[in-house]
């Protein structure tokens, strides 16, 4: 038994799990009445670029492998199916993970993770760096542990001001609702 016969089905099931989980969460958020407030332009640009490059390399390598198998005539139908389906699943997984960071009525959606407004303990606005970008550090509770994420804005951009307004509005609203017992 080769490593590929174990590795490819394992990756296949892990990708299917992530796709199922992502779709289920998205439907749950829609049922909760999520409204999109803001899509961030500057956040995670390098991650998106590296993801695109990795995706292109993976598709290219898979194509080369399929062509090599066909030319040497040392393939089975199962080999071709696994090599063809895996890149399709990875692309399907890449789409939700490559979306722009989203600010919604539920919270901050970054790389398909949701940080709810009520879990946010603090927001620190750092000084602009040499590229005139402002890092915003969001400190929140996750599984009874304090964690943080960073968002990136251009200093003179109106998205930063909108984010400040939304953060102030939704964090205060959620705290008031929680205290009143609703």
């Amino acid at each position: 038994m080769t490593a590929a016969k174990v590795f490819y089905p394992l990756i296949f099931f892990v990708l299917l799990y992530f796709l199922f989980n992502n779709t289920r969460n998205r439907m749950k958020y829609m049922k909760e009445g999520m409204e999109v407030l803001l899509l961030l332009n500057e956040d995670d640009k390098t991650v998106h670029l590296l993801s695109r490059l990795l995706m292109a390399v993976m598709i290219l390598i898979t194509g080369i492998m399929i062509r090599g198998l066909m030319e040497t005539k040392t393939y089975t139908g199962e080999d071709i199916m696994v090599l063809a389906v895996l890149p399709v699943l990875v692309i399907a997984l890449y789409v939700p993970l490559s979306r722009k960071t989203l600010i919604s009525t539920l919270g901050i959606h970054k790389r398909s993770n949701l940080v709810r407004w009520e879990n946010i303990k603090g927001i620190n606005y750092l000084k602009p760096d040499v590229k005139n970008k402002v890092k915003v550090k969001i400190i929140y509770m996750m599984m009874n542990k304090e964690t943080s994420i960073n968002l990136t804005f251009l200093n003179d951009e109106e998205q930063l001001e909108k984010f400040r307004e939304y953060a102030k509005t939704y964090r205060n609203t959620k705290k008031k609702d929680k205290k009143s017992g609703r």
Side-chain angles (χ1 to χ4, degrees):
M1 181 185 287
T2 64
K5 291 194 182 235
V6 174
F7 187 66
Y8 274 119
L10 182 65
I11 290 176
F12 182 78
F13 288 120
V14 168
L15 291 175
L16 279 177
Y17 169 76
F18 280 118
L19 287 172
F20 171 75
N21 195 27
N22 192 14
T23 305
R24 185 186 66 196
N25 286 341
R26 207 159 177 233
M27 290 185 335
K28 183 177 88 173
Y29 300 151
M30 291 301 162
K31 285 181 184 176
E32 290 181 40
M34 177 186 82
E35 293 178 31
V36 176
L37 301 173
L38 189 63
L39 287 170
L40 303 184
N41 296 331
E42 287 298 315
D43 197 47
D44 275 354
K45 276 191 170 181
T46 54
V47 171
H48 294 307
L49 177 66
L50 290 175
S51 297
R52 287 184 195 118
L53 290 173
L54 181 65
M55 198 58 47
V57 167
M58 183 174 179
I59 291 170
L60 180 69
I61 289 173
T62 302
I64 292 169
M65 290 173 65
I66 290 173
R67 185 172 178 210
L69 284 174
M70 290 180 147
E71 286 179 356
T72 59
K73 306 231 189 258
T74 58
Y75 62 89
T76 63
E78 181 182 317
D79 291 336
I80 297 292
M81 187 187 82
V82 167
L83 285 174
V85 169
L86 187 63
V88 171
L89 283 174
V90 171
I91 290 169
L93 179 65
Y94 165 76
V95 169
L97 290 177
S98 67
R99 289 195 177 122
K100 289 184 176 182
T101 302
L102 169 78
I103 309 300
S104 75
T105 53
L106 297 178
I108 302 167
H109 303 258
K110 184 168 182 164
R111 296 186 201 138
S112 79
N113 293 321
L114 172 65
V115 177
R116 293 189 178 266
W117 292 114
E118 58 265 17
N119 294 339
I120 295 175
K121 291 185 72 173
I123 300 176
N124 298 329
Y125 298 94
L126 305 177
K127 292 182 180 178
D129 61 6
V130 293
K131 295 180 181 177
N132 204 26
K133 292 183 179 181
V134 176
K135 297 272 187 197
V136 177
K137 187 173 185 175
I138 312 291
I139 303 166
Y140 65 99
M141 294 298 290
M142 183 174 154
M143 295 184 204
N144 296 325
K145 184 179 177 187
E146 202 170 277
T147 313
S148 69
I149 61 169
N150 290 326
L151 302 178
T152 306
F153 296 92
L154 285 177
N155 189 27
D156 300 330
E157 196 173 34
E158 77 176 58
Q159 282 190 342
L160 179 59
E161 293 305 317
K162 283 184 179 180
F163 175 76
R164 284 183 177 159
E165 291 173 20
Y166 292 141
K168 190 181 255 186
T169 302
Y170 285 99
R171 283 189 67 217
N172 291 340
T173 303
K174 296 296 180 182
K175 287 180 181 179
K176 287 177 187 174
D177 288 347
K178 209 172 194 179
K179 289 178 183 175
S180 65
R182 289 185 207 160

